[in-house]
């Protein structure tokens, strides 16, 4: 077995601690997978023995690799992380095992919040706006009128509404949402503004608002 320098050995340990996979470390260091695997095995052997229960199918470094994929945004959920880690480890695990790893590290499942899709030009325009107004005084901002428009639903919501339904249960008011065909006055568009002196009137917009 070819010996490696202490610098290479330390580099492999550092990358393992950061959660890199064997393939990624091989690409970065040029070392063989067997050499990297041997160092990983040595590190696993240095850990304290478990105090009881079934041994985890995932090593400390496997778990760190999963966490790194999630925190960097490369993966979003446990199913994706399971597919990722099963391509690396010899014994596949289930999504529930991955969920347990995430929960152990204070992660919880949430719905992604929607936010405006900002392209590069949008970000540049916002930065330009911020720099231009960087030294504005309160008196300058008093002359600004802020306005916006929004749609108000009279019936229902644009989002999904979940409920629990028994198998074979017929349609009823409890498990349906009333709607009106072809819009039918379902919603209205309004425009409003505010400034230093207070809030302006709320104006209903007739027709299609295009500017």
């Amino acid at each position: 077995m070819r010996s490696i320098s202490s610098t290479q050995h330390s580099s492999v340990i550092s990358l393992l601690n950061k959660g890199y996979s064997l393939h990624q470390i091989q690409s970065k260091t040029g070392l063989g997978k067997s050499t990297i695997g041997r160092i990983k095995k040595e590190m696993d052997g240095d850990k304290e023995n478990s105090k009881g229960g079934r041994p985890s199918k995932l090593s400390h470094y496997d778990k760190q690799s999963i966490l790194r994929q999630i925190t960097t945004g490369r993966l979003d959920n446990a199913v994706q992380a399971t597919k990722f880690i099963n391509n690396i480890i010899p014994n596949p695990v289930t999504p529930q095992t991955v969920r347990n790893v995430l929960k152990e590290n204070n992660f919880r499942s949430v719905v992604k919040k929607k936010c405006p899709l900002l392209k590069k030009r949008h970000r540049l325009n916002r930065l330009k706006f911020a720099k231009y107004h960087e030294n504005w005084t309160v008196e300058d901002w008093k002359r600004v009128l802020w306005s916006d428009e929004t749609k108000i639903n009279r019936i229902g919501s644009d989002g999904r509404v979940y409920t629990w339904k028994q198998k074979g249960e017929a349609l009823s008011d409890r498990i349906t949402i009333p709607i009106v065909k072809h819009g039918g006055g379902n919603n209205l568009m309004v425009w409003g503004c505010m400034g230093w002196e207070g809030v302006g009137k709320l104006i209903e917009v007739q027709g299609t608002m295009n500017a």
Side-chain angles (χ1 to χ4, degrees):
M1 184 180 296
R2 181 170 69 90
S3 62
I4 62 174
S5 67
S6 59
T7 301
Q8 289 176 310
H9 191 276
S10 299
S11 178
V12 171
I13 292 176
S14 175
L15 292 171
L16 284 170
N17 285 329
K18 290 178 181 178
Y20 283 87
S21 67
L22 299 186
H23 179 73
Q24 290 172 321
I25 298 174
Q26 182 184 29
S27 299
K28 288 181 175 292
T29 62
L31 297 173
K33 280 189 177 180
S34 60
T35 302
I36 299 168
R38 175 172 55 82
I39 297 174
K40 181 177 183 296
K41 188 175 180 180
E42 291 173 356
M43 294 175 66
D44 289 340
D46 289 338
K47 294 188 297 180
E48 293 183 2
N49 294 328
S50 174
K51 293 183 178 179
R54 187 178 65 180
S56 174
K57 290 184 178 180
L58 297 172
S59 70
H60 171 74
Y61 307 101
D62 295 331
K63 295 177 181 180
Q64 289 300 313
S65 185
I66 291 172
L67 296 176
R68 185 171 180 276
Q69 294 296 315
I70 294 293
T71 55
T72 57
R74 294 174 184 171
L75 302 176
D76 287 326
N77 54 57
V79 174
Q80 294 174 350
T82 302
K83 292 179 179 178
F84 163 78
I85 201 64
N86 282 344
N87 286 327
I88 299 173
I89 60 178
N91 300 314
V93 296
T94 65
Q96 186 57 51
T97 299
V98 174
R99 291 189 192 99
N100 292 339
V101 170
L102 294 171
K103 289 178 181 179
E104 288 169 5
N105 288 273
N106 298 319
F107 283 81
R108 64 187 180 91
S109 178
V110 296
V111 176
K112 282 192 172 185
K113 292 184 178 180
K114 294 181 179 180
C115 63
L117 177 61
L118 298 181
K119 297 181 179 179
K120 185 176 181 180
R121 61 184 177 85
H122 295 142
R123 291 188 172 93
L124 290 175
N125 286 337
R126 292 187 177 200
L127 179 61
K128 182 179 178 181
F129 176 89
K131 288 183 175 180
Y132 180 83
H133 298 90
E134 183 178 7
N135 297 314
W136 269 34
T137 64
V138 172
E139 294 302 317
D140 292 323
W141 289 110
K142 283 183 180 181
R143 302 196 303 271
V144 177
L145 189 69
W146 305 94
S147 69
D148 200 5
E149 62 279 343
T150 189
K151 184 184 74 168
I152 299 176
N153 289 333
R154 288 173 173 160
I155 301 176
S157 166
D158 288 334
R160 291 183 179 181
V161 179
Y162 292 88
T163 188
W164 289 88
K165 176 180 176 291
Q166 288 184 316
K167 185 177 181 180
E169 182 180 354
L171 292 178
S172 65
D173 291 343
R174 187 183 70 78
I175 57 175
T176 59
I177 298 176
I179 60 172
V180 180
K181 274 192 172 182
H182 313 298
N186 255 2
N187 55 69
L188 56 90
M189 181 71 74
V190 295
W191 176 94
C193 64
M194 64 179 183
W196 181 262
E197 299 297 333
V199 180
K201 292 182 178 181
L202 190 66
I203 308 298
E204 181 180 356
V205 178
Q206 301 292 341
T208 302
M209 185 150 192
N210 53 25

